[in-house]
């Protein structure tokens, strides 16, 4: 059974600092990995999807890397802004999606 | 463009009452549809998924059921709610294609069973 872990559970940084969010998974036989953003009381918004054959994906200030062999993915958010405050979840697709519990980010102005 | 509608946004129901949550998708046809539940501080749990009208797969045994009466409509139901059914329910859809498709979520329903 796939286990997805996100550490830390919460993170607080000053505005402008770069964010590094970690995701680890136990079974490396995956199709893809997705990163989502969730605002309080809202649904999830897909940020980036990395196919198993890819090493990274970039969108604006966001960059996600994938190391299948070690079972790790990292989401980098450059030059954080207060609007980046949210919970970020990763999900691993290995026939079905398994979600981590998320990292709640607070960016202080 | 594709959109997904989920309602209601919040719901407070007494124990033993019935439940019906509805989800519809616009702008696409023959999508895969999903119901998830999110407990506080935990990851999302897949409850049901559907690859077509009348085709429902259940991931966990529970007090809930799902139906897909139309191509782009997905309904989550219960005949008698339990306290443990409280949570944040999310509907989602994906393109029916090869593996690796993105998942798109509705805005969620916060259900409180009292």
């Amino acid at each position: 059974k796939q286990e997805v872990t996100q550490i830390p559970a919460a993170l607080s940084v000053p505005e402008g600092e770069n964010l590094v969010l970690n995701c680890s998974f136990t079974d490396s036989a995956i199709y893809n990995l997705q990163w989502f953003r969730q605002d309080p009381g809202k649904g999830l918004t897909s940020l980036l999807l990395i196919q198993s054959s890819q090493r990274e994906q970039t969108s604006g200030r966001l960059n996600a890397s994938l190391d299948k062999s070690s079972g790790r993915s990292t989401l980098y958010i450059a030059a954080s802004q207060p609007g980046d405050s949210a919970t970020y979840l990763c999900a691993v697709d290995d026939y079905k999606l398994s979600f981590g519990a998320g990292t709640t980010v607070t960016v202080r102005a | 463009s594709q959109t997904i509608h989920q309602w209601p946004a919040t719901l407070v129901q007494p124990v033993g009452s019935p439940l019906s949550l509805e989800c519809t998708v616009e702008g696409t046809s023959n999508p895969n549809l999903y119901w998830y539940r999110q407990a506080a501080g935990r990851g999302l749990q897949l409850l049901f998924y559907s690859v077509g009208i009348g085709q429902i797969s259940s991931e966990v045994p529970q007090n809930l059921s799902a139906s897909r009466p139309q191509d782009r409509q997905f309904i989550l139901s219960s005949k008698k709610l339990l306290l443990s059914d409280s949570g944040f329910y999310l509907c989602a859809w994906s393109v029916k294609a090869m593996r690796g498709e993105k998942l798109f979520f509705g805005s969620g329903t916060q259900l409180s069973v009292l």
Side-chain angles (χ1 to χ4, degrees), chain A residues 32 38 43 93 95-97, chain B residues 38 59 88 99-100 103 106-107:
Chain A
N32 63 57
Q38 185 177 29
D93 188 351
Y95 167 69
K96 68 176 185 179
L97 277 180
Chain B
Q38 185 178 32
E59 287 295 303
F88 192 54
R99 300 300 310 189
L103 204 59
S107 55

Side-chain angles (χ1 to χ4, degrees), chain B residues 46-111:
Chain B
L46 179 63
L47 302 176
F48 301 95
Y49 70 93
S50 171
V51 298
I53 296 174
Q55 300 179 65
I56 310 295
S57 296
S58 174
E59 287 295 303
V60 293
Q62 59 206 318
N63 185 43
L64 302 169
S65 62
S67 62
R68 185 169 178 174
Q70 300 181 40
D71 180 46
R72 290 171 287 176
Q73 184 185 29
F74 206 23
I75 298 172
L76 183 69
S77 304
S78 173
K79 292 182 179 178
K80 289 186 177 181
L81 284 168
L82 306 172
L83 287 174
S84 58
D85 292 323
S86 294
F88 192 54
Y89 289 83
L90 289 156
C91 179
W93 74 275
S94 67
V95 174
K96 188 183 280 83
M98 295 171 57
R99 300 300 310 189
E101 58 272 17
K102 278 189 177 182
L103 204 59
F104 299 93
F105 283 85
S107 55
T109 296
Q110 183 64 53
L111 172 65

Side-chain angles (χ1 to χ4, degrees), chain A residues 2-65:
Chain A
Q2 183 75 263
E3 300 285 343
V4 182
T5 304
Q6 292 186 250
I7 296 174
L11 188 60
S12 178
V13 299
E15 182 176 4
E17 191 166 301
N18 296 331
L19 283 164
V20 180
L21 307 179
N22 298 303
C23 172
S24 61
F25 47 96
T26 52
D27 188 343
S28 62
I30 65 172
Y31 293 105
N32 63 57
L33 183 146
Q34 295 186 52
W35 282 95
F36 294 87
R37 169 185 171 138
Q38 185 177 29
D39 293 297
K42 303 295 183 182
L44 280 68
T45 301
S46 180
L47 298 175
L48 292 167
L49 182 150
I50 312 176
Q51 301 290 355
S52 62
S53 58
Q54 297 175 319
R55 286 272 186 167
E56 65 178 347
Q57 276 287 338
T58 299
S59 175
R61 295 185 294 113
L62 276 60
N63 174 276
S65 65

Side-chain angles (χ1 to χ4, degrees), chain B residues 12-54:
Chain B
V12 180
Q13 292 284 97
V15 169
S17 64
L19 173 73
S20 181
L21 302 181
E22 189 163 343
C23 171
T24 59
V25 181
E26 295 179 357
T28 188
S29 59
N30 200 24
N32 291 329
L33 296 172
Y34 310 83
W35 278 111
Y36 284 88
R37 178 168 58 202
Q38 185 178 32
R42 300 180 64 181
L44 274 69
Q45 179 187 35
L46 179 63
L47 302 176
F48 301 95
Y49 70 93
S50 171
V51 298
I53 296 174

